[in-house]
Amino acid sequence: MSAEYVVHGAAGSGSVPVEATLSLLGLPYRVVENAPWASQAAADAVGEVNRLRQVPAVITPEGELLTESAAILIHLADRHPEARLAPAIDAAERAQFLRWMIYLPAQVYSMFWVRDDPSRLAADPAAEKVISERTAQRIATGGGQHGGRGKQP
């Protein structure tokens, strides 16, 4: 067991908001920098912690593995309610907080997986081009979601 959080992450990944939240909370942590998309060695290093080879992957001081940036942030907010990073579990605003915390990784981050290597989904270079264009458009529009309190466009 460690007295600190260990954040496996990379610049430009979902680990950045996790690091910022840990700093804001004044919690001890260290970063193990590995960009799994940069090399096979980095992907293998992340795979030692997270079988999906994705960052962020956080080891808590209790030794528990947490993955998915939104889940990590919600966990930290719930563990430290005095910081007021999220509405209380019984607050009326909680449902919308959860909606928007999950929206970005579910609707937008997933598009980066496609954008970074369209050959994962395309059968040929022409299809890759179409997928790249459509993915860029979806990222630029935030996944197409607009509207206020629970409303759809």
Side-chain angles (χ1 to χ4, degrees):
M1 210 169 312
S2 170
E4 64 185 359
Y5 287 84
V6 179
V7 180
H8 295 265
S13 77
S15 65
V16 174
V18 172
E19 293 171 46
T21 301
L22 289 166
S23 292
L24 183 68
L25 292 170
L27 298 173
Y29 71 94
R30 68 181 168 89
V31 176
V32 177
E33 186 82 20
N34 271 317
W37 55 86
S39 71
Q40 187 62 49
D44 291 345
V46 172
E48 297 280 326
V49 177
N50 179 359
R51 291 184 317 183
L52 293 176
R53 297 174 181 233
Q54 296 173 338
V55 293
V58 173
I59 307 297
T60 68
E62 298 79 26
E64 184 177 7
L65 171 65
L66 300 175
T67 63
E68 308 306 323
S69 55
I72 296 164
L73 295 171
I74 293 166
H75 169 78
L76 290 169
D78 289 349
R79 290 284 300 263
H80 301 278
E82 71 284 356
R84 300 175 52 114
L85 297 176
I89 291 175
D90 60 350
E93 302 83 15
R94 182 70 176 198
Q96 290 304 312
F97 164 75
L98 292 172
R99 173 188 181 205
W100 290 107
M101 283 297 293
I102 301 305
Y103 174 78
L104 185 63
Q107 297 298 319
V108 179
Y109 283 0
S110 60
M111 293 290 101
F112 286 90
W113 179 84
V114 175
R115 183 207 63 187
D116 290 347
D117 186 1
S119 68
R120 293 172 173 149
L121 302 176
D124 58 61
E128 284 183 36
K129 185 176 186 307
V130 171
I131 288 171
S132 292
E133 290 168 356
R134 291 182 180 169
T135 302
Q137 180 181 19
R138 186 160 174 93
I139 290 169
T141 62
Q145 177 70 28
H146 304 285
R149 292 183 55 86
K151 296 180 182 174
Q152 297 298 319

